[in-house]
């Protein structure tokens, strides 16, 4: 899966087709009509409450697509940025790389599309972390 461009409606449609879930079941679960469901399939983005319901129905974390995008494509934050006490949002100490992210990065290296140095520079992945991933795949 390419995380750079996310079309959530297509992703939902693909999973519905893969799991062979009927439109009646979807409409009953979401408490919406068939036209609404078809509009979701065509939408590039949807409301988070609706996305949460789709995630429950299809037993898949669609929010992870967006998290993966942030890990791969968000610019790195300032290293010595002072933290203010007025920050109410939780602060995370490090990125959590999903298996899909690891596979995506390792595929780029093994296919020769990118070098290790390119990956470190482009995605801000620590050299030691990348080295550990490579060692685990060689075992």
């Amino acid at each position: 899966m390419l995380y750079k461009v996310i079309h959530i409606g297509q992703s939902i449609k693909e999973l519905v087709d893969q799991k062979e879930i009927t439109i009646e079941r979807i409409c009953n679960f979401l408490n919406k009509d068939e036209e609404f469901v078809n509009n979701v399939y065509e939408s590039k983005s949807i409301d988070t409450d609706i996305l949460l319901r789709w995630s429950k129905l299809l037993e898949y974390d669609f929010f992870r697509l967006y998290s993966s995008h942030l890990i791969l494509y968000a610019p790195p934050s300032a290293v010595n940025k002072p933290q203010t006490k007025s920050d109410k949002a939780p602060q995370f100490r490090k990125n959590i790389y999903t298996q899909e992210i690891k596979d995506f990065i390792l595929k780029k290296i093994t296919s020769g599309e990118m070098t290790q140095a390119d990956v470190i520079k482009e995605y801000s992945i620590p050299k030691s972390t990348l080295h550990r991933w490579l060692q685990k795949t060689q075992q």
Side-chain angles (χ1 to χ4, degrees), residues 66-113:
Y66 295 102
S67 298
S68 299
H69 174 88
L70 288 174
I71 291 170
L72 289 173
Y73 299 106
S77 61
V79 177
N80 292 325
K81 181 179 173 186
Q83 182 178 357
T84 61
K85 290 187 177 187
S86 64
D87 288 346
K88 303 258 185 205
Q91 300 297 313
F92 297 103
R93 299 187 129 225
K94 62 181 182 178
N95 288 335
I96 299 173
Y97 301 101
T98 63
Q99 189 60 45
E100 290 124 346
I101 296 282
K102 293 176 188 177
D103 293 342
F104 175 80
I105 297 295
L106 293 173
K107 183 179 176 186
K108 290 225 178 235
I109 293 172
T110 56
S111 69
E113 191 175 332

Side-chain angles (χ1 to χ4, degrees), residues 33-128:
D33 60 4
E34 193 171 332
E35 181 181 348
F36 175 83
V37 173
N38 289 325
N39 287 338
V40 167
Y41 293 157
E42 296 171 5
S43 298
K44 188 173 179 353
S45 63
I46 61 174
D47 183 66
T48 54
D49 183 53
I50 299 297
L51 186 59
L52 179 62
R53 295 178 81 191
W54 277 104
S55 295
K56 290 177 181 179
L57 173 66
L58 298 173
E59 299 174 349
Y60 182 82
D61 183 4
F62 287 104
F63 294 96
R64 187 166 293 206
L65 298 175
Y66 295 102
S67 298
S68 299
H69 174 88
L70 288 174
I71 291 170
L72 289 173
Y73 299 106
S77 61
V79 177
N80 292 325
K81 181 179 173 186
Q83 182 178 357
T84 61
K85 290 187 177 187
S86 64
D87 288 346
K88 303 258 185 205
Q91 300 297 313
F92 297 103
R93 299 187 129 225
K94 62 181 182 178
N95 288 335
I96 299 173
Y97 301 101
T98 63
Q99 189 60 45
E100 290 124 346
I101 296 282
K102 293 176 188 177
D103 293 342
F104 175 80
I105 297 295
L106 293 173
K107 183 179 176 186
K108 290 225 178 235
I109 293 172
T110 56
S111 69
E113 191 175 332
M114 295 179 88
T115 65
Q116 291 181 32
D118 293 337
V119 168
I120 292 167
K121 183 178 179 183
E122 176 78 19
Y123 300 119
S124 302
I125 295 175
K127 185 177 181 179
S128 59

